[in-house]
Coordinates of all heavy atoms in Angstrom, one line a residue:
R198 N -50.3 0.9 59.0 CA -49.9 0.6 57.6 C -48.7 1.4 57.2 O -48.1 1.1 56.1 CB -51.0 0.8 56.6 CG -52.1 -0.2 56.9 CD -53.3 0.0 55.9 NE -54.5 -0.6 56.3 CZ -54.9 -1.8 55.9 NH1 -54.1 -2.5 55.2 NH2 -56.1 -2.3 56.4
H201 N -46.5 -1.6 58.6 CA -46.9 -3.0 58.2 C -47.7 -2.9 56.9 O -48.5 -2.0 56.7 CB -47.8 -3.6 59.2 CG -47.2 -3.8 60.6 ND1 -46.5 -4.9 60.9 CD2 -47.2 -3.0 61.7 CE1 -46.1 -4.9 62.2 NE2 -46.6 -3.7 62.7
I203 N -50.1 -5.9 54.5 CA -50.4 -7.4 54.3 C -49.6 -7.9 53.1 O -49.1 -9.0 53.1 CB -51.9 -7.6 54.3 CG1 -52.4 -7.3 55.7 CG2 -52.2 -9.0 53.8 CD1 -53.9 -7.7 55.9
M206 N -46.2 -9.1 53.9 CA -46.1 -10.2 54.8 C -45.8 -11.5 54.1 O -46.3 -11.8 53.1 CB -47.5 -10.4 55.6 CG -47.7 -9.4 56.7 SD -49.3 -9.8 57.5 CE -49.4 -8.4 58.6
Q211 N -46.2 -17.5 58.1 CA -47.0 -17.3 59.2 C -47.8 -18.6 59.5 O -48.0 -19.5 58.6 CB -48.1 -16.2 59.0 CG -47.4 -14.8 58.9 CD -48.5 -13.7 58.8 OE1 -49.6 -13.9 58.5 NE2 -48.0 -12.5 59.0
R214 N -53.4 -20.4 60.5 CA -54.6 -19.6 60.9 C -54.4 -18.1 60.7 O -55.2 -17.4 60.2 CB -54.9 -19.9 62.4 CG -56.1 -19.3 63.0 CD -56.3 -19.7 64.4 NE -55.4 -18.9 65.3 CZ -55.7 -17.9 66.0 NH1 -57.0 -17.5 66.0 NH2 -54.8 -17.2 66.7
T215 N -53.2 -17.7 61.1 CA -52.8 -16.3 61.0 C -52.9 -15.8 59.5 O -53.5 -14.8 59.2 CB -51.4 -16.0 61.6 OG1 -51.4 -16.6 62.9 CG2 -51.1 -14.6 61.6
Q218 N -56.3 -15.5 58.3 CA -57.0 -14.3 58.8 C -56.5 -13.1 57.9 O -57.3 -12.2 57.6 CB -56.6 -14.0 60.2 CG -57.1 -15.1 61.2 CD -58.4 -14.8 61.8 OE1 -59.2 -14.1 61.3 NE2 -58.6 -15.4 63.0
H219 N -55.2 -13.0 57.6 CA -54.7 -11.9 56.9 C -55.1 -11.9 55.5 O -55.4 -10.8 54.9 CB -53.1 -11.8 57.0 CG -52.7 -11.4 58.4 ND1 -51.5 -11.9 59.0 CD2 -53.2 -10.5 59.3 CE1 -51.4 -11.4 60.2 NE2 -52.4 -10.5 60.4
R221 N -57.9 -13.0 54.4 CA -59.3 -12.6 54.5 C -59.4 -11.1 54.8 O -60.2 -10.4 54.2 CB -60.0 -13.4 55.6 CG -61.5 -13.5 55.5 CD -62.1 -14.1 56.7 NE -62.1 -13.2 57.8 CZ -62.4 -13.5 59.1 NH1 -62.6 -14.7 59.4 NH2 -62.4 -12.6 60.0
A222 N -58.5 -10.6 55.7 CA -58.6 -9.2 56.0 C -58.4 -8.4 54.7 O -59.0 -7.4 54.5 CB -57.6 -8.9 57.0
E227 N -61.1 -5.9 56.2 CA -61.1 -5.8 57.7 C -59.8 -5.0 58.0 O -58.8 -5.1 57.3 CB -61.0 -7.2 58.3 CG -62.4 -7.8 58.4 CD -62.2 -9.3 58.8 OE1 -61.6 -10.0 58.1 OE2 -62.7 -9.7 59.9
T228 N -59.9 -4.2 59.1 CA -58.8 -3.4 59.4 C -58.0 -3.9 60.6 O -58.6 -4.7 61.4 CB -59.3 -1.9 59.5 OG1 -58.1 -1.1 59.3 CG2 -59.9 -1.6 60.9
C229 N -56.7 -3.5 60.7 CA -55.9 -4.1 61.7 C -56.5 -4.1 63.1 O -56.5 -5.2 63.8 CB -54.5 -3.4 61.7 SG -53.8 -3.0 60.1
C232 N -58.9 -6.8 64.7 CA -58.3 -8.0 65.4 C -57.2 -7.7 66.4 O -57.0 -8.4 67.4 CB -57.8 -9.0 64.4 SG -59.0 -9.5 63.2
H233 N -56.4 -6.6 66.1 CA -55.3 -6.3 67.0 C -55.6 -5.0 67.8 O -55.5 -3.9 67.3 CB -54.0 -6.0 66.2 CG -53.6 -7.2 65.4 ND1 -53.1 -8.4 66.0 CD2 -53.6 -7.5 64.1 CE1 -52.8 -9.2 65.0 NE2 -53.1 -8.7 63.9
Ligands
HEC296 C1 -59.2 -11.0 60.8 C2 -58.3 -10.7 61.9 C3 -57.0 -10.0 61.6 C4 -56.8 -8.8 60.9 C5 -57.9 -7.9 60.3 C6 -55.4 -8.5 60.9 N1 -54.8 -9.5 61.6 FE1 -52.8 -9.6 62.1 N2 -53.0 -11.4 63.0 C7 -54.2 -12.0 63.2 C8 -54.0 -13.2 64.0 C9 -55.1 -14.2 64.5 C10 -52.6 -13.3 64.3 C11 -51.9 -14.3 65.2 C12 -52.0 -14.0 66.6 C13 -51.4 -12.7 67.0 O1 -50.2 -12.5 66.9 O2 -52.2 -11.9 67.5 C14 -52.0 -12.1 63.7 C15 -50.7 -11.8 63.7 C16 -50.1 -10.6 63.2 C17 -48.7 -10.3 63.3 C18 -47.6 -11.2 63.8 C19 -47.2 -12.1 62.7 C20 -46.8 -13.5 63.2 O3 -46.7 -14.3 62.3 O4 -46.6 -13.6 64.4 C21 -48.6 -9.0 62.7 C22 -47.3 -8.2 62.6 C23 -49.9 -8.6 62.3 N3 -50.8 -9.6 62.6 C24 -50.2 -7.4 61.8 C25 -51.4 -7.0 61.2 C26 -51.7 -5.8 60.6 C27 -50.6 -4.7 60.4 C28 -53.0 -5.8 60.2 C29 -53.7 -4.7 59.3 C30 -53.0 -4.4 58.0 C31 -53.5 -7.0 60.6 N4 -52.6 -7.8 61.2 C32 -54.8 -7.4 60.4 C33 -55.5 -11.6 62.8 C34 -55.7 -10.5 62.0

Side-chain angles (χ1 to χ4, degrees):
R198 293 179 199 270
H201 296 274
I203 291 187
M206 281 180 184
Q211 291 185 346
R214 185 180 74 103
T215 309
Q218 300 262 27
H219 286 145
R221 203 188 72 194
E227 279 169 299
T228 201
C229 317
C232 302
H233 299 288

